[in-house]
Amino acid sequence: MSGRDPDRRRALLDAADRVILAQGPEVSMAAIAAEAGITKPILYRHFGDKSGLYQALADRHVRTVIAQLRPELVAPGGDLRGRARATIGVYLDLISANRNLYRFLFHRASAEDSRIRSHMTALVRGLGEELGGLLVGERAVPDPVRAQVLGHAFVGMVQTTGDWWLEHPEVDRVEVVEGLVDVIAAALAPRPAAAVGAVSPRSGRASRAAGRT
C-alpha cells in the first residue's frame, strides 16, 4: 500500500524536486518516474494517485516556507514594519530561488486538480488566520474581526504580488518589499475617530427603513 515506507516516499519526492527544478513546472509525470527509476504507475501507487503526489509536494514545500516565515513574524522586539519587511524579504527570496517548484504547485498542480487547489488554499488561509491572531495578540489591531480581515489580506497581497514579481524580474526586489510594507503600515495605522453624526451605509439604510414604517 502507498505511504508505508517514509524513506522511500522521501526519495521519490527528492526525485520529483530535482526534475521540476531542472525542467520547469510543465515536467511530465513520466520524467519524474524515470528520475526515480520506476514506472509512472508505481510512482502513483506510493502516493495513492497523482493528486496524492501533488499534496505530498505541497506539504513538503508550502509548510517549509511557512515554517521559515513564522520566526520573522513572531520575532520578539522590533516594530511591525521591520518585521513585515523581513518576512516579505524571506518569502520573495524563497520563491525566486525555487520558482519552478512554486509555479508547479501554485499554477500547474492547482489548475489540474481541485483537491490540491483546496489543500493549497487551506494552507495559505491558515497562515492568514495565524497572522490575524498575532495582530490581536500584540494589540496592533484590537478588533479580532478586523485583524482576521487584515491578516488574510496581507497574506493574499504578498502572495499575488510575489507571483507578479516572478514575471517581472526587472523590478527591483527592494522596491517590491517597500511597496508592500507601505501598504501594511498604512492599514495598521490608527484610524481617526468617526466624525460626530457620521452615518454608516448600513445604519443609514436602517434609519430610512425605520422612517418608512
Side-chain angles (χ1 to χ4, degrees), residues 5 16 23 31 67 91 120 131 140-141 143 160-161 167 176-177 180 192 206-207 212:
D5 185 347
Q23 298 185 23
Y91 176 73
M120 297 284 284
L131 179 54
V141 182
D143 177 11
T160 55
T161 303
E167 301 297 328
V176 176
V177 171
L180 290 168
S207 296
R212 289 195 294 268

PDB file of all heavy atoms in Angstrom, residues 5 16 23 31 67 91 120 131 140-141 143 160-161 167 176-177 180 192 206-207 212:
ATOM      1  N   ASP A   5       6.432   3.275   3.515  1.00  0.00           N
ATOM      2  CA  ASP A   5       7.871   3.453   3.686  1.00  0.00           C
ATOM      3  C   ASP A   5       8.200   4.936   3.554  1.00  0.00           C
ATOM      4  O   ASP A   5       8.336   5.457   2.448  1.00  0.00           O
ATOM      5  CB  ASP A   5       8.620   2.641   2.629  1.00  0.00           C
ATOM      6  CG  ASP A   5      10.127   2.686   2.831  1.00  0.00           C
ATOM      7  OD1 ASP A   5      10.597   3.530   3.633  1.00  0.00           O
ATOM      8  OD2 ASP A   5      10.833   1.894   2.189  1.00  0.00           O
ATOM      9  N   ALA A  16      11.291  14.038  -7.608  1.00  0.00           N
ATOM     10  CA  ALA A  16      10.353  14.997  -8.205  1.00  0.00           C
ATOM     11  C   ALA A  16      10.912  16.417  -8.118  1.00  0.00           C
ATOM     12  O   ALA A  16      10.835  17.180  -9.089  1.00  0.00           O
ATOM     13  CB  ALA A  16       9.003  14.911  -7.497  1.00  0.00           C
ATOM     14  N   GLN A  23      13.553  21.020 -15.122  1.00  0.00           N
ATOM     15  CA  GLN A  23      12.778  21.073 -16.358  1.00  0.00           C
ATOM     16  C   GLN A  23      11.624  22.069 -16.326  1.00  0.00           C
ATOM     17  O   GLN A  23      11.050  22.372 -17.366  1.00  0.00           O
ATOM     18  CB  GLN A  23      12.247  19.678 -16.691  1.00  0.00           C
ATOM     19  CG  GLN A  23      13.348  18.649 -16.936  1.00  0.00           C
ATOM     20  CD  GLN A  23      12.803  17.309 -17.382  1.00  0.00           C
ATOM     21  OE1 GLN A  23      11.694  17.210 -17.905  1.00  0.00           O
ATOM     22  NE2 GLN A  23      13.582  16.254 -17.199  1.00  0.00           N
ATOM     23  N   ALA A  31       8.657  11.765 -16.587  1.00  0.00           N
ATOM     24  CA  ALA A  31      10.031  12.216 -16.320  1.00  0.00           C
ATOM     25  C   ALA A  31      10.368  12.088 -14.840  1.00  0.00           C
ATOM     26  O   ALA A  31      11.498  11.727 -14.476  1.00  0.00           O
ATOM     27  CB  ALA A  31      10.212  13.655 -16.783  1.00  0.00           C
ATOM     28  N   ALA A  67       7.113  27.631   7.716  1.00  0.00           N
ATOM     29  CA  ALA A  67       7.990  27.446   8.876  1.00  0.00           C
ATOM     30  C   ALA A  67       9.141  28.446   8.871  1.00  0.00           C
ATOM     31  O   ALA A  67       9.612  28.869   9.940  1.00  0.00           O
ATOM     32  CB  ALA A  67       8.532  26.019   8.891  1.00  0.00           C
ATOM     33  N   TYR A  91      10.194  35.634   2.089  1.00  0.00           N
ATOM     34  CA  TYR A  91       9.262  34.987   1.158  1.00  0.00           C
ATOM     35  C   TYR A  91       9.702  35.181  -0.292  1.00  0.00           C
ATOM     36  O   TYR A  91       9.748  34.213  -1.069  1.00  0.00           O
ATOM     37  CB  TYR A  91       7.857  35.548   1.358  1.00  0.00           C
ATOM     38  CG  TYR A  91       6.860  34.989   0.375  1.00  0.00           C
ATOM     39  CD1 TYR A  91       6.395  33.682   0.490  1.00  0.00           C
ATOM     40  CD2 TYR A  91       6.395  35.760  -0.693  1.00  0.00           C
ATOM     41  CE1 TYR A  91       5.487  33.161  -0.421  1.00  0.00           C
ATOM     42  CE2 TYR A  91       5.481  35.245  -1.600  1.00  0.00           C
ATOM     43  CZ  TYR A  91       5.044  33.947  -1.457  1.00  0.00           C
ATOM     44  OH  TYR A  91       4.154  33.422  -2.369  1.00  0.00           O
ATOM     45  N   MET A 120      -4.062  23.655  -1.033  1.00  0.00           N
ATOM     46  CA  MET A 120      -3.165  24.817  -1.045  1.00  0.00           C
ATOM     47  C   MET A 120      -3.870  26.023  -0.439  1.00  0.00           C
ATOM     48  O   MET A 120      -3.274  26.784   0.337  1.00  0.00           O
ATOM     49  CB  MET A 120      -2.731  25.123  -2.471  1.00  0.00           C
ATOM     50  CG  MET A 120      -1.938  24.016  -3.133  1.00  0.00           C
ATOM     51  SD  MET A 120      -0.249  23.937  -2.558  1.00  0.00           S
ATOM     52  CE  MET A 120       0.440  25.324  -3.425  1.00  0.00           C
ATOM     53  N   LEU A 131      -1.665  35.036  11.261  1.00  0.00           N
ATOM     54  CA  LEU A 131      -1.262  36.437  11.272  1.00  0.00           C
ATOM     55  C   LEU A 131      -2.333  37.301  11.931  1.00  0.00           C
ATOM     56  O   LEU A 131      -2.015  38.223  12.699  1.00  0.00           O
ATOM     57  CB  LEU A 131      -0.999  36.907   9.839  1.00  0.00           C
ATOM     58  CG  LEU A 131      -0.583  38.374   9.673  1.00  0.00           C
ATOM     59  CD1 LEU A 131       0.630  38.713  10.542  1.00  0.00           C
ATOM     60  CD2 LEU A 131      -0.287  38.671   8.205  1.00  0.00           C
ATOM     61  N   ALA A 140      -1.908  45.182  17.890  1.00  0.00           N
ATOM     62  CA  ALA A 140      -1.711  46.042  16.723  1.00  0.00           C
ATOM     63  C   ALA A 140      -3.065  46.346  16.091  1.00  0.00           C
ATOM     64  O   ALA A 140      -3.270  47.422  15.521  1.00  0.00           O
ATOM     65  CB  ALA A 140      -0.791  45.364  15.712  1.00  0.00           C
ATOM     66  N   VAL A 141      -3.967  45.379  16.196  1.00  0.00           N
ATOM     67  CA  VAL A 141      -5.343  45.544  15.721  1.00  0.00           C
ATOM     68  C   VAL A 141      -6.240  44.936  16.797  1.00  0.00           C
ATOM     69  O   VAL A 141      -6.440  43.720  16.828  1.00  0.00           O
ATOM     70  CB  VAL A 141      -5.571  44.836  14.369  1.00  0.00           C
ATOM     71  CG1 VAL A 141      -6.991  45.068  13.881  1.00  0.00           C
ATOM     72  CG2 VAL A 141      -4.574  45.314  13.325  1.00  0.00           C
ATOM     73  N   ASP A 143      -9.450  44.858  17.360  1.00  0.00           N
ATOM     74  CA  ASP A 143     -10.684  44.207  16.928  1.00  0.00           C
ATOM     75  C   ASP A 143     -10.350  42.880  16.234  1.00  0.00           C
ATOM     76  O   ASP A 143      -9.709  42.872  15.179  1.00  0.00           O
ATOM     77  CB  ASP A 143     -11.435  45.128  15.964  1.00  0.00           C
ATOM     78  CG  ASP A 143     -12.706  44.493  15.407  1.00  0.00           C
ATOM     79  OD1 ASP A 143     -13.109  43.438  15.934  1.00  0.00           O
ATOM     80  OD2 ASP A 143     -13.279  45.036  14.456  1.00  0.00           O
ATOM     81  N   THR A 160       0.159  37.264  -4.187  1.00  0.00           N
ATOM     82  CA  THR A 160      -0.118  37.657  -5.565  1.00  0.00           C
ATOM     83  C   THR A 160       0.935  38.619  -6.101  1.00  0.00           C
ATOM     84  O   THR A 160       1.292  38.556  -7.283  1.00  0.00           O
ATOM     85  CB  THR A 160      -1.515  38.290  -5.684  1.00  0.00           C
ATOM     86  OG1 THR A 160      -1.631  39.389  -4.770  1.00  0.00           O
ATOM     87  CG2 THR A 160      -2.599  37.282  -5.375  1.00  0.00           C
ATOM     88  N   THR A 161       1.442  39.504  -5.236  1.00  0.00           N
ATOM     89  CA  THR A 161       2.499  40.416  -5.687  1.00  0.00           C
ATOM     90  C   THR A 161       3.780  39.646  -5.975  1.00  0.00           C
ATOM     91  O   THR A 161       4.482  39.936  -6.958  1.00  0.00           O
ATOM     92  CB  THR A 161       2.764  41.503  -4.628  1.00  0.00           C
ATOM     93  OG1 THR A 161       1.544  42.204  -4.356  1.00  0.00           O
ATOM     94  CG2 THR A 161       3.807  42.488  -5.109  1.00  0.00           C
ATOM     95  N   GLU A 167       7.286  37.290 -12.665  1.00  0.00           N
ATOM     96  CA  GLU A 167       7.139  37.536 -14.101  1.00  0.00           C
ATOM     97  C   GLU A 167       7.784  38.852 -14.526  1.00  0.00           C
ATOM     98  O   GLU A 167       7.853  39.150 -15.723  1.00  0.00           O
ATOM     99  CB  GLU A 167       5.645  37.575 -14.471  1.00  0.00           C
ATOM    100  CG  GLU A 167       4.888  36.297 -14.139  1.00  0.00           C
ATOM    101  CD  GLU A 167       5.406  35.106 -14.921  1.00  0.00           C
ATOM    102  OE1 GLU A 167       5.862  35.308 -16.068  1.00  0.00           O
ATOM    103  OE2 GLU A 167       5.367  33.981 -14.383  1.00  0.00           O
ATOM    104  N   VAL A 176       9.781  46.244  -4.429  1.00  0.00           N
ATOM    105  CA  VAL A 176       8.607  45.412  -4.165  1.00  0.00           C
ATOM    106  C   VAL A 176       8.374  45.298  -2.664  1.00  0.00           C
ATOM    107  O   VAL A 176       7.249  45.471  -2.180  1.00  0.00           O
ATOM    108  CB  VAL A 176       8.791  44.014  -4.783  1.00  0.00           C
ATOM    109  CG1 VAL A 176       7.621  43.108  -4.418  1.00  0.00           C
ATOM    110  CG2 VAL A 176       8.923  44.112  -6.302  1.00  0.00           C
ATOM    111  N   VAL A 177       9.429  45.005  -1.917  1.00  0.00           N
ATOM    112  CA  VAL A 177       9.294  44.847  -0.468  1.00  0.00           C
ATOM    113  C   VAL A 177       8.762  46.128   0.166  1.00  0.00           C
ATOM    114  O   VAL A 177       7.810  46.112   0.955  1.00  0.00           O
ATOM    115  CB  VAL A 177      10.639  44.447   0.162  1.00  0.00           C
ATOM    116  CG1 VAL A 177      10.539  44.493   1.695  1.00  0.00           C
ATOM    117  CG2 VAL A 177      11.064  43.060  -0.295  1.00  0.00           C
ATOM    118  N   LEU A 180       5.062  46.864  -0.517  1.00  0.00           N
ATOM    119  CA  LEU A 180       4.172  46.039   0.292  1.00  0.00           C
ATOM    120  C   LEU A 180       4.171  46.490   1.750  1.00  0.00           C
ATOM    121  O   LEU A 180       3.117  46.551   2.399  1.00  0.00           O
ATOM    122  CB  LEU A 180       4.600  44.571   0.197  1.00  0.00           C
ATOM    123  CG  LEU A 180       4.359  43.890  -1.155  1.00  0.00           C
ATOM    124  CD1 LEU A 180       5.079  42.545  -1.214  1.00  0.00           C
ATOM    125  CD2 LEU A 180       2.869  43.700  -1.407  1.00  0.00           C
ATOM    126  N   PRO A 192      -8.632  57.363  12.330  1.00  0.00           N
ATOM    127  CA  PRO A 192      -9.209  58.536  13.005  1.00  0.00           C
ATOM    128  C   PRO A 192     -10.590  58.211  13.552  1.00  0.00           C
ATOM    129  O   PRO A 192     -11.326  57.402  12.983  1.00  0.00           O
ATOM    130  CB  PRO A 192      -9.270  59.583  11.892  1.00  0.00           C
ATOM    131  CG  PRO A 192      -9.294  58.802  10.621  1.00  0.00           C
ATOM    132  CD  PRO A 192      -8.451  57.577  10.881  1.00  0.00           C
ATOM    133  N   ALA A 206     -30.877  51.527   7.631  1.00  0.00           N
ATOM    134  CA  ALA A 206     -31.787  51.152   8.711  1.00  0.00           C
ATOM    135  C   ALA A 206     -32.654  52.342   9.104  1.00  0.00           C
ATOM    136  O   ALA A 206     -33.848  52.206   9.358  1.00  0.00           O
ATOM    137  CB  ALA A 206     -30.997  50.652   9.913  1.00  0.00           C
ATOM    138  N   SER A 207     -32.057  53.564   9.150  1.00  0.00           N
ATOM    139  CA  SER A 207     -32.809  54.740   9.548  1.00  0.00           C
ATOM    140  C   SER A 207     -33.899  55.044   8.531  1.00  0.00           C
ATOM    141  O   SER A 207     -35.034  55.382   8.875  1.00  0.00           O
ATOM    142  CB  SER A 207     -31.861  55.937   9.692  1.00  0.00           C
ATOM    143  OG  SER A 207     -30.932  55.693  10.727  1.00  0.00           O
ATOM    144  N   ARG A 212     -39.852  54.802   7.138  1.00  0.00           N
ATOM    145  CA  ARG A 212     -40.972  54.438   6.249  1.00  0.00           C
ATOM    146  C   ARG A 212     -42.027  53.635   6.982  1.00  0.00           C
ATOM    147  O   ARG A 212     -43.107  53.402   6.450  1.00  0.00           O
ATOM    148  CB  ARG A 212     -40.452  53.640   5.058  1.00  0.00           C
ATOM    149  CG  ARG A 212     -39.645  54.477   4.067  1.00  0.00           C
ATOM    150  CD  ARG A 212     -39.485  53.702   2.766  1.00  0.00           C
ATOM    151  NE  ARG A 212     -38.675  52.502   2.967  1.00  0.00           N
ATOM    152  CZ  ARG A 212     -37.360  52.460   2.810  1.00  0.00           C
ATOM    153  NH1 ARG A 212     -36.681  53.569   2.496  1.00  0.00           N
ATOM    154  NH2 ARG A 212     -36.709  51.336   2.982  1.00  0.00           N
TER     155      ARG A 212
END
